[in-house]
Amino acid sequence: SAVISQKPSRDICQRGTSLTIQCQVDSQVTMMFWYRQQPGQSLTLIATANQGSEATYESGFVIDKFPISRPNLTFSTLTVSNMSPEDSSIYLCSVGTGGIGKLFFGSGTQLSVL
Amino acid sequence: SQQGEEDPQALSIQEGENATMNCSYKTSINNLQWYRQNSGRGLVHLILIRSNEREKHSGRLRVTLDTSKKSSSLLITASRAADTASYFCATDAGANSKLTFGKGITLSVRP
């Protein structure tokens, strides 16, 4: 299992600003995942954060908008850049275990952009 | 695009009743999982069933998988108010492949 600390838990931001979300895991993990959950919707994978290399982004998501850092095997950040109201969502980090696909999630960051 | 599609979209039951939620998917899978999400927080893993399994139990949870119909069901027996949450099925196509989540089912359990 893995315990994930994600912060901030919520924030209200102004249009055009940026927010960095942090995700700390209590054990070393190879891959960390960042998801977005728009209001009332399911989870959409933004990118996979790989330690020592650039993140792998899913279709529709770009590095300039969602830069990701992964400095070591227990930590990652996701930045939501130049925010607009359409970025209002819950952002979730997660980690996998041993290749079987089970994910552990952080508690999420609820972002509101005014 | 979502792989899993749950139904119903919303379910309201009385405490003590059983809740059955269904998930259908489109392509071959390695395993199927169910997650719970309380009040827009992080998801909690409930149960995983592999493609070569047909049924699995965990406490009050029972999951079935029918790969010929590409469908799964999650049964929660003797529901409690604390079971009120959104439930998501998620599928993956193989080792280290990404999980794809369904749209989710909102379950309300009335005390």
Side-chain angles (χ1 to χ4, degrees), chain A residues 9 31 35 37 42-43 45 58 90 92 99-103 105-107, chain B residues 31 33 35 37 40-43 45 48 88 95-96 98-99 101-103:
Chain A
S9 59
M31 289 192 290
Y35 285 87
Q37 186 179 26
S42 184
L43 281 72
L45 181 63
E58 298 298 309
I90 298 172
L92 297 142
I100 66 171
K102 175 180 173 180
L103 293 182
F105 282 84
S107 55
Chain B
N31 63 57
Q33 305 177 47
Y35 288 82
Q37 184 180 37
R41 305 300 287 173
L43 278 70
H45 180 267
L48 179 153
F88 295 87
N96 298 321
K98 63 180 181 180
L99 275 187
F101 286 83
K103 293 181 179 178

Side-chain angles (χ1 to χ4, degrees), chain A:
Chain A
S1 65
V3 177
I4 303 171
S5 173
Q6 183 176 340
K7 57 182 179 182
S9 59
R10 62 175 61 235
D11 208 341
I12 301 173
C13 300
Q14 296 297 319
R15 181 196 298 262
T17 62
S18 298
L19 176 72
T20 296
I21 302 167
Q22 298 180 3
C23 184
Q24 178 76 52
V25 189
D26 68 343
S27 58
Q28 294 185 338
V29 293
T30 304
M31 289 192 290
M32 296 176 73
F33 306 95
W34 288 98
Y35 285 87
R36 181 177 74 182
Q37 186 179 26
Q38 293 176 303
Q41 301 298 312
S42 184
L43 281 72
T44 301
L45 181 63
I46 297 172
T48 302
N50 309 302
Q51 195 271 333
S53 63
E54 280 198 2
T56 304
Y57 289 83
E58 298 298 309
S59 175
F61 297 96
V62 295
I63 187 171
D64 289 347
K65 176 66 176 177
F66 298 101
I68 287 171
S69 79
R70 182 82 198 274
N72 56 53
L73 290 174
T74 64
F75 187 79
S76 178
T77 67
L78 169 77
T79 298
V80 186
S81 303
N82 188 24
M83 289 183 286
S84 67
E86 291 71 35
D87 295 319
S88 297
S89 293
I90 298 172
Y91 292 85
L92 297 142
C93 70
S94 69
V95 303
T97 56
I100 66 171
K102 175 180 173 180
L103 293 182
F104 296 91
F105 282 84
S107 55
T109 297
Q110 189 149 10
L111 172 61
S112 298
V113 184
L114 305 178

Side-chain angles (χ1 to χ4, degrees), chain B residues 87-101:
Chain B
Y87 291 82
F88 295 87
C89 68
T91 57
D92 82 81
N96 298 321
S97 70
K98 63 180 181 180
L99 275 187
T100 304
F101 286 83

